[in-house]
């Protein structure tokens, strides 16, 4: 039987590339995000390759997360792979200059949203004694850089939750893995810099950043190992990047 994957943040970047690669590999898809037109377009396109259903919800809104997931049709209710990917950085400033709405967004989306979605999906994995949860962290969850403060805190939380899930779900035969990318050229910087596309583009100039497809490829590799193999934690940089802040640009 084909596997079914539930991908949050499937409308863009890493989540979208993962959906596309999974579809090519005959993995059935539950695609989530807030932008309905993008979800519909993906369903039309990837529906030619595999079974696809979509759920439009904001991961911040607890009730919507649970209602949406409960509304899944019976043939999509068995989730084999959960990719906890939805998230973004909002702003880049010192702690003293930080915008509290940005802080709320990052903690509510990157941390609490991931928790709500996991809470809604895990019970059926426990019942079946199988499942795979892939948490998309960041190098920002492994180190802290100037002005990264709350985004770094949110991704350190993802790192901690990944480890916690591994421990708490261990006896239920559920695999848990985190992938921590460095710079990936997606809409990430557009969101971080609030639509300042020049500033966003400048983040990826002078070196070859990771592409969303590179991370999708790694996610696919991780979830297609034999069931007794769990790759627990991966940091993935572009070759030009040595740490969160050291990038060899020319
Ligand atoms: P994108 O901005 O391209 O994609 C972000 C995705 O998250 C979109 O599909 C967006 O969908 C979804 N999302 C954002 N907020 C919400 C919300 N409130 N509710 C539901 N969905 C939401 O960025 P990336 O693909 O780069 O980011 C994916 C993940 O990778 C994030 O967790 C990010 O932190 C992480 N990451 C990114 C890196 C990078 O350099 N790009 C590096 C390291 C980690 P929609 O707007 O339709 O809701
Ligand atoms: C995204 C990578 O370095 O901008 O998580 O935090 S970084």
């Amino acid at each position: 039987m084909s596997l079914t994957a539930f991908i949050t943040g499937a409308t863009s970047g890493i989540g979208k590339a993962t959906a596309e690669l999974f579809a090519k590999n005959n993995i059935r898809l539950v695609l989530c995000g807030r932008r309905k037109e993008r979800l519909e377009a993906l369903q039309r396109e990837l529906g030619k390759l595999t079974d696809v259903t979509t759920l439009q919800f904001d991961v911040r809104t607890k009730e919507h997360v649970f209602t949406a997931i409960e509304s899944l049709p019976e043939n999509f209710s068995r989730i084999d792979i959960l990719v906890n990917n939805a998230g973004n950085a909002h702003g880049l400033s010192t702690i003293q200059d930080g915008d509290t709405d940005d802080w709320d967004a990052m903690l509510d989306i990157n941390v609490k949203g991931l928790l709500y979605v996991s809470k809604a999906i895990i019970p059926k994995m426990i019942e079946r004694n199988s499942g795979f949860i892939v948490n998309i962290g960041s190098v920002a969850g492994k180190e802290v850089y100037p002005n990264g403060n709350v985004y770094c805190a949110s991704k350190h939380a993802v790192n901690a939750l990944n480890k916690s899930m591994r421990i708490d779900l261990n006896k239920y035969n559920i695999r848990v893995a985190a992938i921590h990318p460095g710079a990936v050229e997606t809409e990430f910087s557009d969101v971080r810099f609030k639509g300042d596309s020049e500033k966003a583009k400048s983040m990826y100039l002078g070196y070859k950043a990771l592409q969303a497809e590179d991370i999708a490829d790694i996610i696919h590799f991780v979830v297609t190992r034999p069931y007794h193999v769990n790759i627990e934690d991966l940091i993935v940089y572009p070759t030009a990047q040595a740490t969160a802040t050291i990038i060899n640009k020319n």
Side-chain angles (χ1 to χ4, degrees):
M1 201 181 80
S2 301
L3 297 169
T4 300
F6 186 107
I7 304 176
T8 66
T11 54
S12 168
I14 294 169
K16 179 167 179 276
T18 304
E20 288 165 348
L21 185 59
F22 279 13
K24 284 184 195 144
N25 285 279
N26 203 30
I27 298 176
R28 304 170 76 244
L29 295 170
V30 182
L31 302 180
C32 311
R34 290 166 302 177
R35 286 170 286 184
K36 195 163 189 273
E37 332 70 60
R38 290 198 183 194
L39 289 172
E40 287 169 354
L42 275 170
Q43 184 165 26
R44 274 195 304 278
E45 199 48 39
L46 303 185
K48 295 172 192 159
L49 301 172
T50 188
D51 296 338
V52 182
T53 192
T54 63
L55 292 177
Q56 185 202 11
F57 61 89
D58 186 326
V59 296
R60 274 180 293 203
T61 315
K62 189 168 26 180
E63 299 72 29
H64 292 179
V65 172
F66 287 98
T67 315
I69 294 173
E70 276 160 24
S71 78
L72 278 172
E74 182 57 32
N75 60 337
F76 277 101
S77 63
R78 178 197 163 112
I79 304 300
D80 301 290
I81 303 162
L82 164 60
V83 183
N84 272 324
N85 165 72
N88 277 118
H90 294 255
L92 182 69
S93 57
T94 60
I95 202 90
Q96 59 274 29
D97 290 332
D99 178 324
T100 54
D101 288 340
D102 286 343
W103 295 354
D104 285 344
M106 290 185 277
L107 296 171
D108 288 351
I109 298 167
N110 303 354
V111 184
K112 289 164 71 183
L114 178 147
L115 280 169
Y116 300 152
V117 171
S118 302
K119 172 96 177 149
I121 301 246
I122 285 171
K124 285 198 174 146
M125 288 185 170
I126 288 181
E127 259 174 42
R128 291 197 319 271
N129 221 35
S130 77
F132 204 142
I133 302 173
V134 181
N135 295 307
I136 305 303
S138 167
V139 296
K142 297 290 188 178
E143 50 181 291
V144 176
Y145 52 85
N147 302 322
N149 44 67
V150 178
Y151 180 66
C152 294
S154 77
K155 289 298 183 175
H156 274 67
V158 172
N159 190 36
L161 290 171
N162 183 65
K163 292 179 190 172
S164 304
M165 287 182 191
R166 289 241 338 117
I167 294 166
D168 294 347
L169 301 176
N170 171 261
K171 61 172 176 282
Y172 301 108
N173 201 34
I174 295 171
R175 295 193 284 180
V176 180
I179 296 165
H180 304 276
V184 192
E185 194 171 357
T186 62
E187 293 175 18
F188 178 85
S189 292
D190 291 302
V191 176
R192 168 168 259 175
F193 298 118
K194 304 173 194 296
D196 182 340
S197 55
E198 287 312 307
K199 205 166 177 184
K201 269 193 220 130
S202 74
M203 300 307 293
Y204 308 111
L205 291 180
Y207 71 106
K208 176 76 178 169
L210 291 168
Q211 303 300 298
E213 291 73 18
D214 298 321
I215 303 301
D217 192 33
I218 290 161
I219 297 172
H220 182 252
F221 178 81
V222 166
V223 303
T224 50
R225 295 311 85 209
Y227 203 88
H228 67 284
V229 179
N230 191 153
I231 299 169
E232 195 252 341
D233 206 53
L234 284 177
I235 299 179
V236 188
Y237 279 124
T239 304
Q241 187 171 16
T243 69
T245 50
I246 299 175
I247 302 184
N248 181 22
K249 298 188 181 186
N250 48 46

